[in-house]
Amino acid sequence: MKNKKSKKSFHPVMFFIYLSIVVILLSGILDALNVQVTYDKLTTIAGEVESTTIAVNSFLSLDGLKFLLTSAYSNLTEFAPLGSLIIVSISFGIALKSGFLKSLCLKTNKIPRYIVIFLYSLICILCSVDSDFGYVLLLPLGAILFISMNRNPLGGLALGFCSIASGHGAGLFITSLDYNLTSYTEASAKLLDPDYSVLQNSNLFFIIAAAILISAVMAFVTEKLLLKKIGKNNFEEEEIVLEENKEKHGLIAALIITLITVIPIILMIIPSEGDEFIGLLLDKSQTEYTKMLFSSDALFLPSLVTLASVIMFLQGFAFGITTGTIKKFRDMIYFSADYLKEIGNIFVLIFFAAQLNAIFTETNLGIIITAYLSNVLAQTNFSFIPLILILFVFSLFSNLFLTGSVAKWSIFAPNVMLVMMKANVAPEFAQLVFRAGDSVTNCITPFFAYFVIFLGFVGVYTKNKSDFSIRNCYKLILPYFGVIAVIWLFMIICWYVIGLPVGPNIYPTI
């Protein structure tokens, strides 16, 4: 970091260890106090509400000790970021070491830097449709992009991570988040009005505006605040010197192979009843295209990481063969192995992050906090803007401990709809307020699975390893956190006061 006099704090590995110890001790104390909560949860999208009582699971017990001793391996192997990172890194190493990614990023130098940063942030927000794909691919790509602009790569990592994490609720089109949330929104609204229907595009206008505004403001914060704070680029990257003509031919070859690869992917997401290959990634039992694409039986989202890895592998291969940086198959193996070696510290972090997430999940603390806030919301007598602010703050706070959007909404939705609809607030707008608050704190909570991926890459691109601390990592993201929170809240209040449509024929009030 630029300020060498800044206080040092502990290594992120120790951060996860200390936090795990705190969670274990807290679970024992709360269990001794018999802390539990009873709440109504929407158990199915058919509209069934079930009253559930849940208590804290103590780790200061024999069962807790058994879990700690026997689950370390499964905690790691079932931790989503691990497999995704390995798969993408194999192809990413080839694309990087062959010189393809650096040559591609250097071509952006002809574009104004603010525009490049804005577009990168916007792409990150759009790629939040799939967490695995966004974090494991776009974060290291952002670091390389910033190095090519002679910017500090830590700025690219912070911008990319906060765009994906805290811009999760925004976008330019309908995603799986809309598909999942609207199902519970409609089912909850039907508790008061059996004929109420919620469309999946009910938040479309708002999220498009949010994506553009967040990207623009975050680009400004990056250029005018963060990059000045963290200083110039001091990360030394391996130099790959290529003849201009060979580099040009290599990029053309990569473009051609990309187009050839993308064509069958497009065919696999086109609805078709007769051909088995066409529409292969869709759930053909559904009638609406968004449901075909994002239902639990669709193959589109689960295959994104693999598809991205294949494309990047072929791009690096085509570029390397054309330019001569790849002369034999063995070179690609070395490229992948070298890159995995460079990012090896991330896997140490992942082990301890996986244990923390498993321990915290097992305690039920996240569900209990969310359920308690939901019950408080159900009993509030506020209306209009105060009611909207309460939902935003409760969503924001609960996401610190329970990061799954659908899991939280299944708890919040029944109580939220009862209060909001009685206050003349449209269910679609209530859903929008929730997804905004739910997005904001993704970038700062250590219980968010992909937080460790950000930390890991910060460690890779921190030149002086003694500066790699949890304090300095948070210093990178806190400016974005504050700005994004203000943007989401500002937009929500403006939309409500002015009465702008949040989607086609959908307004903040009923």
Side-chain angles (χ1 to χ4, degrees):
M1 303 294 289
K2 187 176 181 180
N3 185 6
K4 296 182 179 179
K5 295 182 180 180
S6 62
K7 295 180 180 179
K8 297 290 192 298
S9 70
F10 36 81
H11 191 281
V13 165
M14 298 308 301
F15 172 71
F16 287 122
I17 293 175
Y18 292 151
L19 201 52
S20 297
I21 294 172
V22 170
V23 171
I24 290 172
L25 295 176
L26 185 62
S27 70
I29 294 172
L30 295 179
D31 176 65
L33 296 174
N34 195 30
V35 172
Q36 60 182 14
V37 64
T38 300
Y39 65 100
D40 292 331
K41 179 180 179 180
L42 197 64
T43 57
T44 69
I45 59 175
E48 296 179 6
V49 177
E50 182 180 85
S51 182
T52 304
T53 300
I54 190 168
V56 177
N57 286 331
S58 172
F59 271 85
L60 299 182
S61 63
L62 288 178
D63 288 338
L65 180 60
K66 289 177 182 178
F67 182 88
L68 292 174
L69 294 176
T70 61
S71 64
Y73 175 78
S74 60
N75 293 343
L76 177 63
T77 56
E78 295 171 8
F79 193 56
L82 176 62
S84 301
L85 180 63
I86 294 175
I87 293 171
V88 168
S89 295
I90 292 173
S91 298
F92 195 90
I94 296 170
L96 176 62
K97 300 295 182 178
S98 67
F100 167 67
L101 290 179
K102 182 179 179 181
S103 295
L104 182 64
C105 290
L106 285 173
K107 293 301 178 183
T108 64
N109 287 345
K110 298 178 181 179
I111 306 173
R113 288 175 176 173
Y114 179 85
I115 300 299
V116 174
I117 295 174
F118 165 77
L119 291 175
Y120 172 67
S121 176
L122 183 60
I123 290 171
C124 287
I125 290 175
L126 298 182
C127 287
S128 65
V129 63
D130 179 70
S131 298
D132 296 343
F133 170 75
Y135 295 105
V136 299
L137 176 60
L138 292 180
L139 292 194
L141 183 59
I144 296 167
L145 177 64
F146 272 55
I147 290 174
S148 71
M149 296 188 295
N150 198 28
R151 295 289 201 267
N152 195 317
L154 298 181
L157 292 172
L159 172 63
F161 176 67
C162 293
S163 296
I164 303 172
S166 294
H168 177 60
L172 300 183
F173 44 80
I174 299 171
T175 67
S176 58
L177 183 64
D178 297 273
Y179 170 76
N180 291 319
L181 293 185
T182 53
S183 299
Y184 287 97
T185 302
E186 180 176 290
S188 298
K190 287 181 180 295
L191 296 175
L192 280 181
D193 183 355
D195 297 324
Y196 204 95
S197 177
V198 179
L199 300 177
Q200 292 178 27
N201 63 355
S202 60
N203 293 161
L204 186 60
F205 295 166
F206 185 94
I207 64 174
I208 290 175
I212 296 172
L213 181 59
I214 289 174
S215 299
V217 174
M218 290 185 73
F220 179 83
V221 171
T222 303
E223 276 286 285
K224 302 300 182 181
L225 178 62
L226 184 68
L227 290 176
K228 291 182 178 180
K229 181 180 178 181
I230 63 179
K232 298 180 180 179
N233 174 39
N234 58 6
F235 186 83
E236 297 177 1
E237 190 183 29
E238 182 181 351
E239 190 70 24
I240 301 176
V241 180
L242 297 172
E243 294 180 12
E244 184 177 350
N245 196 41
K246 284 187 176 181
E247 182 182 36
K248 180 180 178 180
H249 289 161
L251 290 173
I252 292 174
L255 175 61
I256 292 173
I257 202 70
T258 302
L259 294 175
I260 294 174
T261 309
V262 167
I263 290 173
I265 295 176
I266 293 175
L267 292 176
M268 288 190 285
I269 58 173
I270 294 177
S272 173
E273 295 182 0
D275 195 293
E276 292 186 1
F277 177 77
I278 298 177
L280 177 66
L281 302 181
L282 302 177
D283 179 3
K284 296 183 180 180
S285 65
Q286 302 290 340
T287 55
E288 297 180 25
Y289 183 71
T290 51
K291 292 182 179 181
M292 290 182 181
L293 205 59
F294 299 121
S295 79
S296 58
D297 293 326
L299 301 178
F300 175 67
L301 288 182
S303 66
L304 272 181
V305 169
T306 303
L307 291 173
S309 299
V310 170
I311 292 174
M312 185 162 288
F313 166 79
L314 293 174
Q315 289 172 331
F317 174 75
F319 182 89
I321 290 295
T322 306
T323 58
T325 55
I326 295 177
K327 295 181 174 61
K328 48 190 175 181
F329 188 82
R330 191 181 297 267
D331 292 335
M332 293 189 292
I333 298 175
Y334 292 152
F335 287 165
S336 295
D338 287 345
Y339 181 69
L340 286 169
K341 188 186 302 182
E342 291 173 5
I343 66 170
N345 75 90
I346 300 181
F347 298 103
V348 180
L349 282 166
I350 283 178
F351 174 79
F352 291 99
Q355 307 311 314
L356 170 64
N357 274 266
I359 291 170
F360 188 77
T361 301
E362 189 69 14
T363 63
N364 290 329
L365 286 173
I367 297 176
I368 289 174
I369 292 171
T370 301
Y372 176 77
L373 293 175
S374 177
N375 290 343
V376 171
L377 184 62
Q379 298 171 7
T380 184
N381 293 319
F382 291 105
S383 59
F384 307 115
I385 291 180
L387 178 59
I388 291 170
L389 290 177
I390 290 175
L391 175 57
F392 179 81
V393 172
F394 280 13
S395 302
L396 180 152
F397 185 76
S398 65
N399 190 61
L400 290 170
F401 308 99
L402 185 63
T403 57
S405 300
V406 178
K408 282 196 302 295
W409 193 228
S410 68
I411 297 173
F412 268 115
N415 288 333
V416 166
M417 291 310 147
L418 292 175
V419 175
M420 289 289 181
M421 292 178 73
K422 288 179 180 178
N424 200 39
V425 177
E428 295 88 346
F429 191 75
Q431 172 187 287
L432 185 153
V433 175
F434 166 79
R435 70 191 291 173
D438 174 61
S439 300
V440 171
T441 45
N442 275 335
C443 69
I444 64 170
T445 173
F447 302 112
F448 181 51
Y450 291 91
F451 181 70
V452 68
I453 299 297
F454 166 71
L455 296 181
F457 279 114
V458 170
V460 171
Y461 287 97
T462 299
K463 184 176 181 181
N464 184 357
K465 299 306 178 185
S466 63
D467 288 336
F468 180 45
S469 65
I470 194 65
R471 180 195 298 271
N472 286 339
C473 289
Y474 268 110
K475 282 183 178 179
L476 292 171
I477 56 181
L478 286 178
Y480 293 116
F481 164 71
V483 167
I484 292 176
V486 170
I487 291 174
W488 277 119
L489 191 56
F490 172 76
M491 289 187 65
I492 287 170
I493 293 176
C494 287
W495 244 259
Y496 182 78
V497 172
I498 299 174
L500 296 173
V502 296
N505 300 315
I506 303 295
Y507 294 86
T509 56
I510 301 175

